[in-house]
Amino acid sequence: MSSSVVVVPRGHWISAWFLLLFAVPVVRVDDVDHPARWGQPTEITVEPGSHRVGVGARYHGTRSAVGIGGAESSFVVAEQQRLLLDARNGFFNHDPFRVTERSIGALR
């Protein structure tokens, strides 16, 4: 089993409908963007050690992801660990996503 980071991107309950219609989530691990789906786990294989993780939204028809720059957090991934993270944006769609470690339990 290799080490990995698993991120579940979600929108704020007030503005999530807008993101679901007009944007797709992007998970950035160590400056590499990975496509994601709202509310679905995105698993990225990583080497053990410290990694920068950020989540943002890319509006349809654009190339840059909104909200990633100020929201990256560092996490340490142990050998053969599957680090589970939640990411949720703020009240406004342009607010950075807050990435937090999920407590042990099943992905929902």
Side-chain angles (χ1 to χ4, degrees), residues 6 10 15 22-23 27 37 45 61 68 82 86 90-91 98:
V6 181
R10 303 178 196 280
S15 58
F22 298 108
V27 175
R37 295 182 64 197
T45 302
I68 287 183
R82 190 169 184 241
D86 278 319
F91 178 78
R98 185 171 165 228

Side-chain angles (χ1 to χ4, degrees), residues 5-6 22 50 85 108:
V5 173
V6 181
F22 298 108
S50 181
L85 302 173
R108 291 186 223 170

Side-chain angles (χ1 to χ4, degrees), residues 37-71:
R37 295 182 64 197
W38 296 115
Q40 299 298 314
T42 300
E43 186 161 5
I44 299 147
T45 302
V46 297
E47 293 293 323
S50 181
H51 298 278
R52 288 184 330 278
V53 179
V55 176
R58 181 172 288 137
Y59 291 101
H60 300 296
T62 64
R63 293 182 186 205
S64 62
V66 175
I68 287 183

Side-chain angles (χ1 to χ4, degrees), residues 54-102:
V55 176
R58 181 172 288 137
Y59 291 101
H60 300 296
T62 64
R63 293 182 186 205
S64 62
V66 175
I68 287 183
E72 286 188 349
S73 300
S74 292
F75 296 94
V76 176
V77 182
E79 191 169 334
Q80 298 186 4
Q81 179 186 12
R82 190 169 184 241
L83 179 65
L84 306 176
L85 302 173
D86 278 319
R88 189 175 302 270
N89 75 320
F91 178 78
F92 297 105
N93 288 336
H94 64 274
D95 288 341
F97 281 71
R98 185 171 165 228
V99 181
T100 56
E101 193 168 349
R102 180 179 271 203

